[in-house]
Amino acid sequence: MRLSLHCVGGFTGPAGAENRSVDVDSLAANEGAHVRSLVQALDLAQLPATLLKARPQPWDFTYTLTVDGRQVRFHLDAAPAPLRELVEVLERHPPG
Amino acid sequence: MHIHTPACTCFIIPSSMLRKLAVQADDAERQRLLEQMERSAFLRGQRAASGLAAPGLQVAPGVKHRTVYDAHHGTRLPGKLVRTETAAPVADAAVNEAFDGAGTTYDFYLQVLHRNSIDGRGMGIDSSVHYSKSFNNAFWNGRQMVYGDGDGKLFTGFTRALDVIAHELTHGVTQYTVPGGGLVYDGQSGALNESVSDVFGSIVKQWHLKQTVKKADWLIGAGIMTPAVGHALRSMADPGNTALTWSGDDQPGTMQGYVDGGDVHTNSGIPNHAFYLAAMKLGGHSWDKAGPIWYQALPLLHPDATFAEAAQATVKAAELRHGVGSAEAAAVQGAWHEVGVG
């Protein structure tokens, strides 16, 4: 399972967008299990394609998470807890 | 010094009526009505943003309260306190640059636009430097400034560029000045939000360098990219000209190039160019006429304002400042017309 996270906003916008990609199979056993449980809790198949705030402000960065081809575009404040936690886990990995 | 202000603010004369009266009045009366309207609009903006402000507290104009923190490459804010208002410069250049840039921006707003800090009430300006690892960004988080160091491949840091600092702090000004809590950061209102920050980011830089509109480079973010990537992030004089900026610059300068559903940093090229054209038509220094007109238009906007409404607001602000049928109002109208708005 591969997870990719794209994040855009701030002064630089698309020019400074951060991309992270993680192969869950390559993670340490504990972290991999944690990520899998979060993905399962998230149930991407049932999630709307966008979870955006109705009235975003300049500090609302826009994220796109891709898991095995399925995508959700969201603001953190509009995301369910497992999605926010996934972002937290993925942001521990360096962008590249 | 802290002074208390009334918790409730009510207005007897609606702003629309004040605007009508001002347009019909002579110069002295127009100025008086204008000041009343500005005050009313400012207080409305404050009311909308009151959840983010320290309730009931106001700091006297000219009293800066800057603090800089070091996030130590983490993402917890604000981080460790490393410089306060009365402290001497420290060894870390990013700390001093964030401190000095906040001070210059504060001075510009106070001396040129008679605004007491970001919220108009003397709000302290907090900044955190060294945010996250290789973070290619800087942002205003609704309460404070946050600066990354860049990854050294695309960006080399953000604190050394005064226009970046003024741009981000101006997001706070917009938040507190546009009635309703700021411009919604999506679509045309989002592009306007970005543009207002670019406009005042550029003006603050020009003011600091004492440049005329003809001498200014009108670049946004010059010097924050590695030379291999480009010279600057955006150009207000010629949006989308990659020879002036960088290879990924996709900004349109007119409505012909407007991108439906485009990023706010893309379509902001259109109002950016309108401001540049207006400033060039008005001549002199951008902070003499063009800047105050754009600033005065902010309280005339609403959170979902379109480009057309921004054009109307800036023309109205020019009429209020300089009179109906004035050369200044015609210059502003002409600038928007040239970019295909209005």
Side-chain angles (χ1 to χ4, degrees):
Chain A
M1 182 191 290
R2 178 166 286 280
L3 277 69
S4 302
L5 186 69
H6 176 81
C7 174
V8 64
F11 175 76
T12 56
E18 285 194 332
N19 293 291
R20 290 175 165 84
S21 191
V22 169
D23 180 354
V24 181
D25 294 333
S26 70
L27 297 175
N30 279 356
E31 190 180 18
H34 183 47
V35 169
R36 284 181 196 281
S37 72
L38 288 171
V39 171
Q40 195 172 6
L42 192 58
D43 196 2
L44 268 169
Q46 300 302 317
L47 214 58
T50 56
L51 292 165
L52 299 171
K53 287 170 74 173
R55 306 182 82 68
Q57 293 298 316
W59 52 87
D60 289 312
F61 281 60
T62 305
Y63 292 82
T64 305
L65 175 72
T66 307
V67 183
D68 289 340
R70 285 187 190 275
Q71 266 193 357
V72 56
R73 192 162 165 263
F74 59 99
H75 291 128
L76 275 182
D77 286 351
L83 188 48
R84 289 200 303 273
E85 201 173 336
L86 264 177
V87 169
E88 209 172 293
V89 171
L90 292 173
E91 284 190 337
R92 286 184 209 135
H93 295 264
Chain B
M1 182 186 73
H2 291 88
I3 55 173
H4 287 279
T5 52
C8 175
T9 312
C10 304
F11 309 106
I12 294 168
I13 306 176
S15 58
S16 58
M17 188 178 292
L18 287 171
R19 275 199 295 277
K20 276 185 191 165
L21 289 169
V23 167
Q24 294 159 3
D26 61 25
D27 284 352
E29 182 66 1
R30 178 184 302 125
Q31 193 55 38
R32 195 185 65 75
L33 290 165
L34 209 54
E35 282 166 10
Q36 190 178 340
M37 198 182 80
E38 269 186 347
R39 178 78 185 139
S40 300
F42 165 69
L43 288 169
R44 279 199 308 279
Q46 264 193 347
R47 244 184 351 203
S50 60
L52 294 164
L57 294 175
Q58 185 166 332
V59 178
V63 182
K64 293 190 196 91
H65 286 278
R66 290 168 291 175
T67 46
V68 184
Y69 300 83
D70 187 340
H72 287 293
H73 305 290
T75 55
R76 290 205 173 183
L77 293 173
K80 184 186 172 194
L81 181 64
V82 286
R83 189 168 173 192
T84 57
E85 187 61 48
T86 52
V90 297
D92 185 338
V95 171
N96 300 326
E97 288 162 354
F99 184 88
D100 293 342
T104 303
T105 305
Y106 175 99
D107 289 341
F108 166 82
Y109 273 106
L110 184 66
Q111 292 173 30
V112 178
L113 299 172
H114 313 295
R115 182 187 186 90
N116 185 9
S117 193
I118 303 309
D119 64 347
R121 308 172 76 195
M123 177 184 190
I125 302 178
D126 296 342
S127 309
S128 293
V129 299
H130 306 310
Y131 177 79
S132 193
K133 290 184 182 119
S134 304
F135 189 59
N136 280 329
N137 228 326
F139 63 99
W140 166 257
N141 79 349
R143 294 169 191 269
Q144 69 156 97
M145 288 294 309
V146 184
Y147 300 97
D149 291 331
D151 61 2
K153 295 173 191 160
L154 277 174
F155 293 97
T156 56
F158 298 92
T159 50
R160 69 184 62 118
L162 177 58
D163 54 344
V164 174
I165 294 173
H167 170 111
E168 289 305 322
L169 288 171
T170 298
H171 280 306
V173 171
T174 300
Q175 169 189 338
Y176 282 99
T177 310
V178 173
L183 291 160
V184 171
Y185 205 60
D186 187 35
Q188 290 199 5
S189 58
L192 284 172
N193 199 324
E194 267 304 302
S195 175
V196 168
S197 281
D198 276 354
V199 162
F200 288 100
S202 183
I203 297 175
V204 170
K205 184 172 89 170
Q206 293 173 33
W207 180 73
H208 183 64
L209 297 173
K210 307 292 175 240
Q211 291 175 325
T212 64
V213 293
K214 287 185 180 163
K215 285 278 181 195
D217 64 13
W218 294 97
L219 294 172
I220 300 295
I224 62 169
M225 301 180 115
T226 56
V229 173
H231 308 294
L233 205 50
R234 300 183 276 274
S235 166
M236 297 177 73
D238 193 3
N241 183 341
T242 56
L244 294 173
T245 55
W246 71 295
S247 61
D249 184 359
D250 62 352
Q251 282 204 309
T254 71
M255 286 304 284
Q256 249 187 333
Y258 183 80
V259 181
D260 272 326
D263 189 88
V264 294
H265 300 80
T266 298
N267 287 324
S268 59
I270 297 165
N272 272 4
H273 195 49
F275 178 80
Y276 163 81
L277 291 170
M280 293 303 281
K281 288 171 194 287
L282 294 168
H285 296 109
S286 60
W287 61 90
D288 287 337
K289 286 186 175 176
I293 289 170
W294 248 246
Y295 179 66
Q296 195 152 337
L298 291 181
L300 307 179
L301 296 173
H302 61 88
D304 299 299
T306 62
F307 288 178
E309 287 171 320
Q312 288 165 11
T314 51
V315 171
K316 177 64 73 183
E319 288 175 349
L320 289 165
R321 294 189 73 83
H322 302 285
V324 175
S326 61
E328 288 85 356
V332 172
Q333 180 82 70
W336 283 105
H337 184 72
E338 277 186 53
V339 302
V341 177

